[in-house]
Structure formats: C-alpha cells, structure tokens
Amino acid sequence: MNSVMIGFGAALPKKCISNNELPDELNTSDEWITRRTGIKQRYIASKSETTASLAVEAGREAIHDAKISPNDIDLVIVATTTGDLTFPATATLVQRDLGIKQGAAFDVSAACSGFVYALDIVDSYIKCGKFKCALVIGAETFSRVVDWNDRSTCVLFGDGAGAVVIQAQNTDLGIQYCRIRSDGEFVERLKTSGGISTTQSVGFAQMDGREVFRFAVEKFNESLKQLLADNNLSIDNVDLIIPHQANSRILEKIAEDSGISKEKVVVTVSKHANTSAASIPLALHEIKQDLITKKNVVLLSMGAGFTWGSALIRFSDGSKVSGRL
Ligand code: ACO
C-alpha cells in the first residue's frame, strides 16, 4: 500500500501586510527585509482567525478537492506549535468542525519540520494498514508568538494553513520515502522564551539567526544527499524541490550547492513569509497543477529543536498520474 496525495487545500488570513506597511516603530525597511530574506509580505490573523479556523478552512478545501466526504477520513493530524488551546489537540477541533466522526486526531509538534514529521507518521500508519485516509494539515498563527518589538524576528513570520488528503492506494506512486531527524543539542538556538510548565505563558520566539541559517543550509544539503543515495537517484532525476520556506537566500543556497536549476526549487516565502509547519503544504497547494506530471518531488524541512526531515513523492511515472489530481 502506498500513501497518495489526492487533495490539496490552503487558508490565509484576510489581512496581508506588505513590508512597507509594517509599523514605523520597528525601524525596518522593505529594502532590508527583501535583501536579507526575500520576504515581501505576510498574512496576519485577526482575533477571530485562529490556527484551528485556518486549519478547518484548508482541510475543507482539501477534502473537496479530493472529491471524498469527511466520513472517509479516519486520521487527522495537525502539525503546529501555535495551537488554539493547551489541550485538547487542535486536530480534535478540526475533526469536530469538519464533522469527522471516526478515527483518531492528534497534533505533531516539530516546529517548522512538523508537516514532514506528520507525513512520515501517516505513511507508516498507511503502510502497516492502521489507517486508510488521512487529513494532514500544517497550520500556524506564528504572529501570536513573535515579539512585535523585535524587528529581527517579527518581520520573518506569517500565519496560514495548508492541507493534504492522503489515501491508501495499491499503486507504486505516492510517498516513496520519508526520513526525520532531530538534535536537541541545538534547543537554545531557536526557541520561545516561555512555556506552560515554566512561565505559564507562551513566551516569544527567539533565535540566533546566523546559526539557524548555517544549520538550515547544512541540513538541507545533507538531507538531500541522503535522500538521493537512499533512493538511487541523481540530482538530475529530481523534478522539484519544495523546501520549508524560511528565507530565499537559504533556498538559493540549496540550488547552488546541489547543482539543481533554480527553477526547480519552489519559492513562496516572498508571498507567505515563514509560516513554520504550514509553509510546505501551502507551497504544495500553490503549485498543485504542476505536480501532476512530476516523477520525483522532494520535500525538505528544518526547524527548532533542531528538527529536520525529507520526503520523496512520486506524482507520475510518465504513463499514469497519482490520485485524483
Ligand atoms: N530591519 C532592519 N535592520 C535589521 C532588522 C530588520 N528587520 N533585523 C535586524 N537588523 C539589523 C541588526 O540590528 C543588525 O544591525 P547592526 O549591524 O547595526 O547590529 C544588522 O541588521 C544585521 O543583523 P544580523 O542579525 O547579523 O543579520 P543577518 O545578515 O544575519 O540576517 C536574518 C538576519 C535574516 C534573520 C538571517 O540571519 C537569517 O535569515 N537567518 C535564518 C533564520 C531564519 O530564517 N529563521 C526562521 C525561523 S527558523 C526556520 O524556519 C528554520
């Protein structure tokens, strides 16, 4: 049994803030942000928009796109670090609001790597026959966990949700490979300043930007090399790379270091900023029409922990295309 993506969805808050619209007090500029990060704008959730409400909207679209009913879903996983409530899991709120009455629902916390971690879990469950049809969502309201007085972090992030429906199918298409890793030695490099059990607050996102940049480049390169070796592929066999969208300079480095053409590295960070666990599924939704003909699509993630991961997905083998794309 293989895990095949058969539907895609996305949700962004109504309010979009361009670099030029950021508050004057931040003392930043479109020129600085664009040159250092490639970010041009970000979507920021209003009070009535939450991680769960964005996840529900993205999930609903993915279910519709897959042409299935909520009754077909037997597993809901939400990758997030900015859930609506301390408990229960945001995935259970999504399960309720989409009218899914069966199966299981839980959240995955792996920061920006959360979506790839969730794919690995789903793929393992599908391959061992435990679940047949999963709704996997990356959803964040990161604007709620940044310090809006700290220009070195707040300009980098945005809110949003991306969703995919993954179905068990007897095919050789779909997810071919997933690999997840972490190294807790680097906890201090990227973390919040508080938490439930320490400060009884969520804290603010804090990071060592240069160290995160360096580690992201290193792990993206290492993960890609490992994926190619494990699947007996060369970089020329790769049709598309969809990396976690943190910074366009990191994405340019992936192309430069791997030798893949820039056009094959998907870049959406200019439009969404860094949406953490939502960035890869938002990018998948953005290019879903292009995926139909792609044989080897590589996902790469890296986030706080540090966590990192990779996945290889086959949407077409030339003679057939996967799912209902
Ligand atoms: N506007 C204007 N100036 C700024 C801003 C801003 N928004 N932020 C920082 N600066 C200033 C600093 O104060 C500093 O000024 P100084 O030289 O007078 O002291 C100067 O710009 C340089 O600051 P650095 O932090 O050294 O800038 P750097 O070139 O490292 O770029 C950045 C910072 C963009 C954060 C970079 O390190 C980076 O992209 N790191 C990757 C981190 C990342 O993407 N994190 C996202 C979360 S992690 C993840 O998703 C994997």
Side-chain angles (χ1 to χ4, degrees), residues 64-91:
H64 179 76
D65 190 41
K67 300 186 177 58
I68 60 164
S69 119
N71 292 327
D72 297 316
I73 304 278
D74 59 5
L75 178 63
V76 180
I77 302 184
V78 175
T80 189
T81 45
T82 50
D84 278 35
L85 303 169
T86 301
F87 68 85
T90 297

PDB file of all heavy atoms in Angstrom, residues 64-91:
ATOM      1  N   HIS A  64     -12.722  18.613  -0.338  1.00  0.00           N
ATOM      2  CA  HIS A  64     -13.495  18.912  -1.543  1.00  0.00           C
ATOM      3  C   HIS A  64     -12.665  18.592  -2.789  1.00  0.00           C
ATOM      4  O   HIS A  64     -13.143  17.950  -3.734  1.00  0.00           O
ATOM      5  CB  HIS A  64     -13.900  20.395  -1.520  1.00  0.00           C
ATOM      6  CG  HIS A  64     -14.672  20.824  -2.715  1.00  0.00           C
ATOM      7  ND1 HIS A  64     -16.009  20.511  -2.882  1.00  0.00           N
ATOM      8  CD2 HIS A  64     -14.291  21.494  -3.822  1.00  0.00           C
ATOM      9  CE1 HIS A  64     -16.411  20.996  -4.044  1.00  0.00           C
ATOM     10  NE2 HIS A  64     -15.392  21.601  -4.638  1.00  0.00           N
ATOM     11  N   ASP A  65     -11.407  19.018  -2.757  1.00  0.00           N
ATOM     12  CA  ASP A  65     -10.500  18.795  -3.890  1.00  0.00           C
ATOM     13  C   ASP A  65     -10.302  17.291  -4.148  1.00  0.00           C
ATOM     14  O   ASP A  65     -10.172  16.852  -5.291  1.00  0.00           O
ATOM     15  CB  ASP A  65      -9.159  19.469  -3.567  1.00  0.00           C
ATOM     16  CG  ASP A  65      -8.226  19.525  -4.753  1.00  0.00           C
ATOM     17  OD1 ASP A  65      -8.692  19.807  -5.867  1.00  0.00           O
ATOM     18  OD2 ASP A  65      -7.013  19.290  -4.578  1.00  0.00           O
ATOM     19  N   ALA A  66     -10.286  16.516  -3.068  1.00  0.00           N
ATOM     20  CA  ALA A  66     -10.079  15.062  -3.185  1.00  0.00           C
ATOM     21  C   ALA A  66     -11.361  14.341  -3.625  1.00  0.00           C
ATOM     22  O   ALA A  66     -11.334  13.140  -3.883  1.00  0.00           O
ATOM     23  CB  ALA A  66      -9.599  14.507  -1.852  1.00  0.00           C
ATOM     24  N   LYS A  67     -12.460  15.070  -3.652  1.00  0.00           N
ATOM     25  CA  LYS A  67     -13.779  14.522  -4.020  1.00  0.00           C
ATOM     26  C   LYS A  67     -14.150  13.325  -3.137  1.00  0.00           C
ATOM     27  O   LYS A  67     -14.599  12.287  -3.604  1.00  0.00           O
ATOM     28  CB  LYS A  67     -13.810  14.118  -5.507  1.00  0.00           C
ATOM     29  CG  LYS A  67     -13.545  15.295  -6.434  1.00  0.00           C
ATOM     30  CD  LYS A  67     -13.735  14.891  -7.886  1.00  0.00           C
ATOM     31  CE  LYS A  67     -13.544  16.041  -8.845  1.00  0.00           C
ATOM     32  NZ  LYS A  67     -12.244  16.713  -8.776  1.00  0.00           N
ATOM     33  N   ILE A  68     -13.897  13.511  -1.834  1.00  0.00           N
ATOM     34  CA  ILE A  68     -14.316  12.498  -0.862  1.00  0.00           C
ATOM     35  C   ILE A  68     -15.215  13.191   0.166  1.00  0.00           C
ATOM     36  O   ILE A  68     -15.415  14.410   0.091  1.00  0.00           O
ATOM     37  CB  ILE A  68     -13.099  11.833  -0.150  1.00  0.00           C
ATOM     38  CG1 ILE A  68     -12.281  12.898   0.600  1.00  0.00           C
ATOM     39  CG2 ILE A  68     -12.223  11.078  -1.141  1.00  0.00           C
ATOM     40  CD1 ILE A  68     -11.320  12.327   1.605  1.00  0.00           C
ATOM     41  N   SER A  69     -15.728  12.422   1.123  1.00  0.00           N
ATOM     42  CA  SER A  69     -16.553  13.024   2.168  1.00  0.00           C
ATOM     43  C   SER A  69     -15.793  12.953   3.499  1.00  0.00           C
ATOM     44  O   SER A  69     -14.895  12.107   3.658  1.00  0.00           O
ATOM     45  CB  SER A  69     -17.883  12.267   2.247  1.00  0.00           C
ATOM     46  OG  SER A  69     -18.051  11.691   3.496  1.00  0.00           O
ATOM     47  N   PRO A  70     -16.115  13.837   4.450  1.00  0.00           N
ATOM     48  CA  PRO A  70     -15.449  13.765   5.760  1.00  0.00           C
ATOM     49  C   PRO A  70     -15.551  12.361   6.373  1.00  0.00           C
ATOM     50  O   PRO A  70     -14.666  11.952   7.139  1.00  0.00           O
ATOM     51  CB  PRO A  70     -16.218  14.790   6.597  1.00  0.00           C
ATOM     52  CG  PRO A  70     -16.719  15.784   5.603  1.00  0.00           C
ATOM     53  CD  PRO A  70     -17.043  14.989   4.365  1.00  0.00           C
ATOM     54  N   ASN A  71     -16.600  11.619   6.004  1.00  0.00           N
ATOM     55  CA  ASN A  71     -16.754  10.253   6.538  1.00  0.00           C
ATOM     56  C   ASN A  71     -15.673   9.300   6.061  1.00  0.00           C
ATOM     57  O   ASN A  71     -15.509   8.208   6.606  1.00  0.00           O
ATOM     58  CB  ASN A  71     -18.110   9.663   6.117  1.00  0.00           C
ATOM     59  CG  ASN A  71     -19.239  10.389   6.789  1.00  0.00           C
ATOM     60  OD1 ASN A  71     -19.082  10.843   7.928  1.00  0.00           O
ATOM     61  ND2 ASN A  71     -20.352  10.533   6.092  1.00  0.00           N
ATOM     62  N   ASP A  72     -14.952   9.688   5.014  1.00  0.00           N
ATOM     63  CA  ASP A  72     -13.884   8.818   4.506  1.00  0.00           C
ATOM     64  C   ASP A  72     -12.582   8.992   5.280  1.00  0.00           C
ATOM     65  O   ASP A  72     -11.675   8.171   5.186  1.00  0.00           O
ATOM     66  CB  ASP A  72     -13.603   9.136   3.021  1.00  0.00           C
ATOM     67  CG  ASP A  72     -14.808   8.855   2.142  1.00  0.00           C
ATOM     68  OD1 ASP A  72     -15.429   7.803   2.342  1.00  0.00           O
ATOM     69  OD2 ASP A  72     -15.125   9.708   1.283  1.00  0.00           O
ATOM     70  N   ILE A  73     -12.479  10.108   6.027  1.00  0.00           N
ATOM     71  CA  ILE A  73     -11.226  10.405   6.746  1.00  0.00           C
ATOM     72  C   ILE A  73     -11.188   9.604   8.059  1.00  0.00           C
ATOM     73  O   ILE A  73     -12.119   9.680   8.863  1.00  0.00           O
ATOM     74  CB  ILE A  73     -11.147  11.918   7.098  1.00  0.00           C
ATOM     75  CG1 ILE A  73     -11.275  12.795   5.849  1.00  0.00           C
ATOM     76  CG2 ILE A  73      -9.887  12.237   7.904  1.00  0.00           C
ATOM     77  CD1 ILE A  73     -10.045  12.983   5.048  1.00  0.00           C
ATOM     78  N   ASP A  74     -10.118   8.862   8.281  1.00  0.00           N
ATOM     79  CA  ASP A  74     -10.017   8.145   9.571  1.00  0.00           C
ATOM     80  C   ASP A  74      -8.810   8.592  10.408  1.00  0.00           C
ATOM     81  O   ASP A  74      -8.533   8.000  11.456  1.00  0.00           O
ATOM     82  CB  ASP A  74     -10.045   6.617   9.378  1.00  0.00           C
ATOM     83  CG  ASP A  74      -8.926   6.095   8.481  1.00  0.00           C
ATOM     84  OD1 ASP A  74      -8.070   6.900   8.080  1.00  0.00           O
ATOM     85  OD2 ASP A  74      -8.919   4.890   8.194  1.00  0.00           O
ATOM     86  N   LEU A  75      -8.117   9.628   9.949  1.00  0.00           N
ATOM     87  CA  LEU A  75      -6.998  10.142  10.743  1.00  0.00           C
ATOM     88  C   LEU A  75      -6.813  11.629  10.433  1.00  0.00           C
ATOM     89  O   LEU A  75      -6.754  12.019   9.260  1.00  0.00           O
ATOM     90  CB  LEU A  75      -5.714   9.371  10.377  1.00  0.00           C
ATOM     91  CG  LEU A  75      -4.421   9.793  11.066  1.00  0.00           C
ATOM     92  CD1 LEU A  75      -4.504   9.573  12.578  1.00  0.00           C
ATOM     93  CD2 LEU A  75      -3.231   9.006  10.513  1.00  0.00           C
ATOM     94  N   VAL A  76      -6.756  12.446  11.486  1.00  0.00           N
ATOM     95  CA  VAL A  76      -6.481  13.880  11.303  1.00  0.00           C
ATOM     96  C   VAL A  76      -5.223  14.227  12.092  1.00  0.00           C
ATOM     97  O   VAL A  76      -5.158  13.980  13.301  1.00  0.00           O
ATOM     98  CB  VAL A  76      -7.652  14.772  11.812  1.00  0.00           C
ATOM     99  CG1 VAL A  76      -7.315  16.255  11.591  1.00  0.00           C
ATOM    100  CG2 VAL A  76      -8.962  14.413  11.138  1.00  0.00           C
ATOM    101  N   ILE A  77      -4.226  14.748  11.394  1.00  0.00           N
ATOM    102  CA  ILE A  77      -3.015  15.206  12.095  1.00  0.00           C
ATOM    103  C   ILE A  77      -2.802  16.678  11.764  1.00  0.00           C
ATOM    104  O   ILE A  77      -2.809  17.065  10.595  1.00  0.00           O
ATOM    105  CB  ILE A  77      -1.763  14.406  11.687  1.00  0.00           C
ATOM    106  CG1 ILE A  77      -1.961  12.908  11.954  1.00  0.00           C
ATOM    107  CG2 ILE A  77      -0.543  14.912  12.456  1.00  0.00           C
ATOM    108  CD1 ILE A  77      -0.728  12.053  11.667  1.00  0.00           C
ATOM    109  N   VAL A  78      -2.644  17.483  12.803  1.00  0.00           N
ATOM    110  CA  VAL A  78      -2.306  18.890  12.596  1.00  0.00           C
ATOM    111  C   VAL A  78      -0.881  19.116  13.111  1.00  0.00           C
ATOM    112  O   VAL A  78      -0.581  18.839  14.279  1.00  0.00           O
ATOM    113  CB  VAL A  78      -3.289  19.846  13.308  1.00  0.00           C
ATOM    114  CG1 VAL A  78      -2.818  21.301  13.152  1.00  0.00           C
ATOM    115  CG2 VAL A  78      -4.698  19.697  12.733  1.00  0.00           C
ATOM    116  N   ALA A  79      -0.015  19.570  12.221  1.00  0.00           N
ATOM    117  CA  ALA A  79       1.338  19.949  12.619  1.00  0.00           C
ATOM    118  C   ALA A  79       1.293  21.420  12.993  1.00  0.00           C
ATOM    119  O   ALA A  79       0.965  22.265  12.160  1.00  0.00           O
ATOM    120  CB  ALA A  79       2.301  19.730  11.456  1.00  0.00           C
ATOM    121  N   THR A  80       1.580  21.708  14.249  1.00  0.00           N
ATOM    122  CA  THR A  80       1.519  23.101  14.720  1.00  0.00           C
ATOM    123  C   THR A  80       2.304  23.269  16.020  1.00  0.00           C
ATOM    124  O   THR A  80       2.459  22.318  16.788  1.00  0.00           O
ATOM    125  CB  THR A  80       0.060  23.565  14.926  1.00  0.00           C
ATOM    126  OG1 THR A  80       0.043  24.973  15.187  1.00  0.00           O
ATOM    127  CG2 THR A  80      -0.630  22.825  16.061  1.00  0.00           C
ATOM    128  N   THR A  81       2.770  24.496  16.244  1.00  0.00           N
ATOM    129  CA  THR A  81       3.306  24.837  17.567  1.00  0.00           C
ATOM    130  C   THR A  81       2.516  26.003  18.148  1.00  0.00           C
ATOM    131  O   THR A  81       2.870  26.542  19.190  1.00  0.00           O
ATOM    132  CB  THR A  81       4.803  25.251  17.471  1.00  0.00           C
ATOM    133  OG1 THR A  81       4.954  26.137  16.378  1.00  0.00           O
ATOM    134  CG2 THR A  81       5.697  24.060  17.291  1.00  0.00           C
ATOM    135  N   THR A  82       1.449  26.379  17.448  1.00  0.00           N
ATOM    136  CA  THR A  82       0.645  27.519  17.906  1.00  0.00           C
ATOM    137  C   THR A  82      -0.833  27.120  17.962  1.00  0.00           C
ATOM    138  O   THR A  82      -1.693  27.766  17.346  1.00  0.00           O
ATOM    139  CB  THR A  82       0.845  28.725  16.952  1.00  0.00           C
ATOM    140  OG1 THR A  82       0.651  28.289  15.601  1.00  0.00           O
ATOM    141  CG2 THR A  82       2.229  29.324  17.077  1.00  0.00           C
ATOM    142  N   GLY A  83      -1.106  26.037  18.678  1.00  0.00           N
ATOM    143  CA  GLY A  83      -2.468  25.510  18.778  1.00  0.00           C
ATOM    144  C   GLY A  83      -3.420  26.481  19.465  1.00  0.00           C
ATOM    145  O   GLY A  83      -2.997  27.380  20.189  1.00  0.00           O
ATOM    146  N   ASP A  84      -4.717  26.264  19.251  1.00  0.00           N
ATOM    147  CA  ASP A  84      -5.730  27.144  19.853  1.00  0.00           C
ATOM    148  C   ASP A  84      -5.739  27.042  21.371  1.00  0.00           C
ATOM    149  O   ASP A  84      -5.885  28.039  22.071  1.00  0.00           O
ATOM    150  CB  ASP A  84      -7.118  26.754  19.330  1.00  0.00           C
ATOM    151  CG  ASP A  84      -7.395  27.354  17.965  1.00  0.00           C
ATOM    152  OD1 ASP A  84      -6.449  27.458  17.177  1.00  0.00           O
ATOM    153  OD2 ASP A  84      -8.562  27.711  17.699  1.00  0.00           O
ATOM    154  N   LEU A  85      -5.616  25.832  21.874  1.00  0.00           N
ATOM    155  CA  LEU A  85      -5.726  25.583  23.316  1.00  0.00           C
ATOM    156  C   LEU A  85      -4.531  24.754  23.770  1.00  0.00           C
ATOM    157  O   LEU A  85      -3.965  23.995  22.970  1.00  0.00           O
ATOM    158  CB  LEU A  85      -7.012  24.789  23.617  1.00  0.00           C
ATOM    159  CG  LEU A  85      -8.330  25.431  23.151  1.00  0.00           C
ATOM    160  CD1 LEU A  85      -9.477  24.431  23.259  1.00  0.00           C
ATOM    161  CD2 LEU A  85      -8.635  26.674  23.985  1.00  0.00           C
ATOM    162  N   THR A  86      -4.194  24.857  25.051  1.00  0.00           N
ATOM    163  CA  THR A  86      -3.130  23.992  25.568  1.00  0.00           C
ATOM    164  C   THR A  86      -3.547  22.535  25.404  1.00  0.00           C
ATOM    165  O   THR A  86      -2.765  21.685  25.005  1.00  0.00           O
ATOM    166  CB  THR A  86      -2.861  24.328  27.050  1.00  0.00           C
ATOM    167  OG1 THR A  86      -2.487  25.708  27.115  1.00  0.00           O
ATOM    168  CG2 THR A  86      -1.757  23.471  27.619  1.00  0.00           C
ATOM    169  N   PHE A  87      -4.779  22.223  25.737  1.00  0.00           N
ATOM    170  CA  PHE A  87      -5.384  20.957  25.338  1.00  0.00           C
ATOM    171  C   PHE A  87      -6.861  21.195  25.145  1.00  0.00           C
ATOM    172  O   PHE A  87      -7.387  22.146  25.716  1.00  0.00           O
ATOM    173  CB  PHE A  87      -5.097  19.830  26.361  1.00  0.00           C
ATOM    174  CG  PHE A  87      -5.766  20.008  27.704  1.00  0.00           C
ATOM    175  CD1 PHE A  87      -7.084  19.576  27.918  1.00  0.00           C
ATOM    176  CD2 PHE A  87      -5.083  20.607  28.761  1.00  0.00           C
ATOM    177  CE1 PHE A  87      -7.698  19.745  29.160  1.00  0.00           C
ATOM    178  CE2 PHE A  87      -5.689  20.776  30.002  1.00  0.00           C
ATOM    179  CZ  PHE A  87      -6.995  20.350  30.189  1.00  0.00           C
ATOM    180  N   PRO A  88      -7.569  20.445  24.350  1.00  0.00           N
ATOM    181  CA  PRO A  88      -7.082  19.297  23.579  1.00  0.00           C
ATOM    182  C   PRO A  88      -6.340  19.735  22.326  1.00  0.00           C
ATOM    183  O   PRO A  88      -6.238  20.934  22.026  1.00  0.00           O
ATOM    184  CB  PRO A  88      -8.377  18.569  23.204  1.00  0.00           C
ATOM    185  CG  PRO A  88      -9.384  19.670  23.064  1.00  0.00           C
ATOM    186  CD  PRO A  88      -9.021  20.663  24.124  1.00  0.00           C
ATOM    187  N   ALA A  89      -5.884  18.735  21.585  1.00  0.00           N
ATOM    188  CA  ALA A  89      -5.139  18.991  20.348  1.00  0.00           C
ATOM    189  C   ALA A  89      -6.006  19.762  19.356  1.00  0.00           C
ATOM    190  O   ALA A  89      -7.218  19.549  19.262  1.00  0.00           O
ATOM    191  CB  ALA A  89      -4.720  17.658  19.724  1.00  0.00           C
ATOM    192  N   THR A  90      -5.365  20.646  18.606  1.00  0.00           N
ATOM    193  CA  THR A  90      -6.066  21.405  17.555  1.00  0.00           C
ATOM    194  C   THR A  90      -6.714  20.434  16.557  1.00  0.00           C
ATOM    195  O   THR A  90      -7.787  20.714  16.016  1.00  0.00           O
ATOM    196  CB  THR A  90      -5.073  22.352  16.852  1.00  0.00           C
ATOM    197  OG1 THR A  90      -4.605  23.291  17.835  1.00  0.00           O
ATOM    198  CG2 THR A  90      -5.710  23.115  15.712  1.00  0.00           C
ATOM    199  N   ALA A  91      -6.083  19.295  16.340  1.00  0.00           N
ATOM    200  CA  ALA A  91      -6.638  18.309  15.393  1.00  0.00           C
ATOM    201  C   ALA A  91      -8.035  17.843  15.811  1.00  0.00           C
ATOM    202  O   ALA A  91      -8.877  17.553  14.949  1.00  0.00           O
ATOM    203  CB  ALA A  91      -5.699  17.105  15.284  1.00  0.00           C
TER     204      ALA A  91
END
